[in-house]
Amino acid sequence: MHKFGLIGNPISHSKSPALFKAAYPAGEFTYDLIQAPTCNKAMELFHANGYTGINITSPFKEEIMKYVTLPDRVTALMGCANIAIKEGGEIKSYNSDYFGVKETLKEYLSGKEIESIKAMVIGAGGAGKAAALSCVDLGMETILANRSAEKAEPYAKKIGAKYISLDQIPFYLKDTDLIVYSLSFRIDALKDKPLEGKLFFEANYANPQFCNQKGIEYISGKYWLYNQAIPAFKLFTGKEPDTKAMKEIMGL
C-alpha cells in the first residue's frame, strides 16, 4: 500500500485527506496530515514513515526545493513546489497549483478572448507565483503585486509579468479584469476600492475574505483545490481519481 500525505503548518483544517479518500474510495492508498513545525522535521517524517509522495502547503512550498533532486519545468521556474514524489533515489517536484488556477480560469473564461484579459495576481508566495505563471501561459497581460515589489521583480521578469507593490494596486485596478488573490488576509490596498464587474478568484477556501464582496464575479478557492488535486492525485497513484465524489466532498 502506498502512503501519501500533506505537510505544512498549520494543516489541521485541510480538506485534502477527505478529498483523497473520495478520489480513491477502494482504500488502496492512504493519505495523512503530516503535522510538523518545520519543513526539515516534516521531511524526516516523510522518509522515516515510508511515504511515497506528499503535497506541500504554506509555509514550506519554497523550502521543499532544498530536498528536491529532479524539479519539473514549472517548479524549476517558480522555485517552489506543492508536490514531492520519491522515485528510486530521487525526489521529483511538481506544482499542481499551476493547474488549479489554469484549469479553473479556462473553464470560467470559456468562450471569451483570454488574451485580451488583464490579470492582477496579489501575493508572490508559492500560490501567487503559480497563479501568475498560469495567467501568463494563458496569454494574459499579468501584473504581480507583492508587499515588496523588489522581491517580486526577479520572478516577474523571468515569466514576462509586470510587478508592483501592494500600495500601487489602486492605480491599476481600473484596467484590471481579473484578480487572483493568494493571500490569507485582507489588504488595505483593496479597502473601499471599486471592484464591481471584476472576476475575483480567491485561493483561501477555509477562511475567504472576499466571498461576500458586492458586484464581483467570485470564484471560490474550492475550485482551485479541486483542480489542483486531480493532477496531484494522478501523479501520486498513476490512476484516475473519482472526480464526481471529489466534487461532492468540496460542495461543488
Side-chain angles (χ1 to χ4, degrees):
M1 178 180 287
H2 290 294
K3 295 171 64 177
F4 306 100
L6 172 72
I7 67 169
N9 189 29
I11 54 174
S12 60
H13 68 280
S14 176
K15 290 185 179 290
S16 291
L19 199 56
F20 190 89
K21 188 175 181 179
Y24 302 103
E28 57 189 312
F29 311 109
T30 64
Y31 191 101
D32 306 315
L33 296 179
I34 308 170
Q35 184 70 49
T38 65
C39 188
N40 184 63
K41 181 61 179 177
M43 291 305 289
E44 287 180 6
L45 295 172
F46 170 62
H47 289 295
N49 293 297
Y51 289 96
T52 303
I54 47 172
N55 285 125
I56 305 101
T57 190
S58 180
F60 301 153
K61 289 183 180 182
E62 294 181 351
E63 191 175 353
I64 192 67
M65 297 305 290
K66 294 193 303 186
Y67 305 90
V68 170
T69 56
L70 290 175
D72 74 343
R73 172 238 172 197
V74 173
T75 54
L77 195 57
M78 291 173 53
C80 59
N82 73 337
I83 299 171
I85 297 175
K86 203 183 297 179
E87 194 170 302
E90 306 286 357
I91 295 182
K92 297 182 177 182
S93 65
Y94 307 89
N95 196 300
S96 62
D97 278 332
Y98 169 84
F99 296 103
V101 175
K102 193 174 184 179
E103 294 306 311
T104 302
L105 291 178
K106 281 169 65 177
E107 180 179 339
Y108 267 81
L109 297 171
S110 177
K112 297 183 180 179
E113 293 185 14
I114 295 180
E115 290 87 358
S116 68
I117 291 172
K118 295 182 179 180
M120 180 185 294
V121 177
I122 299 178
K129 285 181 176 179
L133 182 58
S134 297
C135 290
V136 169
D137 282 355
L138 284 170
M140 299 179 191
E141 183 179 325
T142 305
I143 294 174
L144 180 58
N146 195 49
R147 187 180 301 278
S148 168
E150 289 76 16
K151 287 186 177 180
E153 179 183 359
Y155 180 70
K157 285 184 173 179
K158 188 189 298 184
I159 66 171
K162 297 178 182 177
Y163 57 93
I164 60 172
S165 60
L166 297 184
D167 59 6
Q168 292 177 294
I169 287 175
F171 300 104
Y172 291 86
L173 273 179
K174 182 180 178 181
D175 295 324
T176 298
D177 306 302
L178 163 69
I179 295 173
V180 184
Y181 197 82
S182 72
L183 302 176
S184 60
F185 54 90
R186 194 169 182 132
I187 57 173
D188 290 339
L190 289 181
K191 188 176 181 180
D192 300 324
K193 296 297 184 295
L195 300 176
E196 290 80 6
K198 300 189 186 304
L199 182 61
F200 199 106
F201 188 11
E202 183 172 14
N204 188 352
Y205 67 86
N207 184 31
Q209 303 296 303
F210 293 88
C211 58
N212 296 317
Q213 182 78 32
K214 293 182 179 179
I216 61 173
E217 183 179 353
Y218 183 78
I219 308 176
S220 169
K222 291 181 180 181
Y223 287 95
W224 186 322
L225 179 62
Y226 168 75
N227 279 317
Q228 71 82 25
I230 293 172
F233 294 169
K234 286 181 182 179
L235 283 167
F236 282 158
T237 67
K239 297 186 177 184
E240 293 289 334
D242 185 337
T243 54
K244 182 178 179 181
M246 290 169 67
K247 279 189 171 181
E248 289 176 0
I249 285 291
M250 294 301 301
L252 299 175

